[in-house]
Amino acid sequence: MIIRTASIEDLPILLDFEQKIIEVERPMDPTIKQNEKINYYDIGAYITDSNTEVVVAEIDGEIVGSGYGQVRDRKRFFFPQKKGYIGFMYVKDEHRGKGISQAIIKYLCHWFQENNLHEIRLTVYEKNPKAIRAYEKAGFEKHLVEMRIDLNNK
């Protein structure tokens, strides 16, 4: 397995991965538009952005996983002033359980350290226990709980 920086030539595969992520997450979030094509990310722009590291995992020349790390500003009352953020984590079904997401996270953590960032955050749906377990395995801990109410269904 090779973890490498994504190139613009990888974009068609990465756009497909994004749609697969959205397909999995739509049932977890009734606020996501259900019947139209949407995008979460501007992956093409992320690939060329110096504050974002988009990576892919390859096995035998096939791209089987993805993720990105991004340097983000924090509100001025937080220390440190910048944080790392991980998103766009995806591994093809047939390659899950092989440590690919862990390798991607490790690669991104190293990238953050090279950029003098020591706090990394991410968001994950509570209804996605497999992803939560993978992040916990990498050392992430639950920190905040976001809650919602739909007053139309009350």
Side-chain angles (χ1 to χ4, degrees):
M1 175 180 32
I2 297 168
I3 308 296
R4 65 167 174 82
T5 300
S7 69
I8 218 66
E9 290 78 24
D10 300 322
L11 192 54
I13 294 166
L14 297 176
L15 291 172
D16 181 59
F17 285 2
E18 178 187 31
Q19 292 306 307
K20 287 182 169 49
I21 292 169
I22 291 167
E23 182 181 310
V24 167
E25 291 182 350
R26 271 190 165 124
M28 297 178 195
D29 190 339
T31 66
I32 296 175
K33 293 180 180 178
Q34 299 294 312
N35 298 313
E36 64 183 79
K37 184 177 180 191
I38 61 168
N39 294 91
Y40 284 167
Y41 318 106
D42 188 347
I43 299 166
Y46 286 1
I47 289 172
T48 61
D49 178 27
S50 63
N51 284 319
T52 306
E53 176 76 351
V54 181
V55 298
V56 295
E58 278 188 10
I59 296 177
D60 298 327
E62 175 190 6
I63 296 175
V64 299
S66 65
Y68 77 74
Q70 192 170 62
V71 178
R72 293 188 175 179
D73 291 324
R74 299 180 74 186
K75 293 180 180 172
R76 59 184 175 83
F77 51 81
F78 283 114
F79 177 79
Q81 206 50 61
K82 296 198 180 285
K83 68 178 177 183
Y85 183 84
I86 289 179
F88 189 44
M89 292 295 299
Y90 179 77
V91 175
K92 285 185 169 183
D93 287 343
E94 62 270 24
H95 292 282
R96 292 188 180 156
K98 297 179 180 178
I100 295 169
S101 64
Q102 299 300 309
I104 291 170
I105 291 169
K106 183 177 179 179
Y107 182 102
L108 292 172
C109 286
H110 181 72
W111 181 80
F112 286 126
Q113 286 177 316
E114 287 179 342
N115 285 281
N116 296 314
L117 291 164
H118 304 286
E119 182 180 13
I120 304 165
R121 297 202 180 196
L122 57 81
T123 57
V124 60
Y125 283 103
E126 180 183 23
K127 294 178 182 178
N128 195 345
K130 289 180 183 178
I132 292 169
R133 280 193 300 277
Y135 296 132
E136 288 175 338
K137 185 176 179 181
F140 286 84
E141 298 174 346
K142 292 177 183 170
H143 177 65
L144 294 172
V145 175
E146 181 174 316
M147 300 176 72
R148 66 178 291 274
I149 186 171
D150 182 348
L151 296 176
N152 291 322
N153 291 328
K154 197 157 163 81

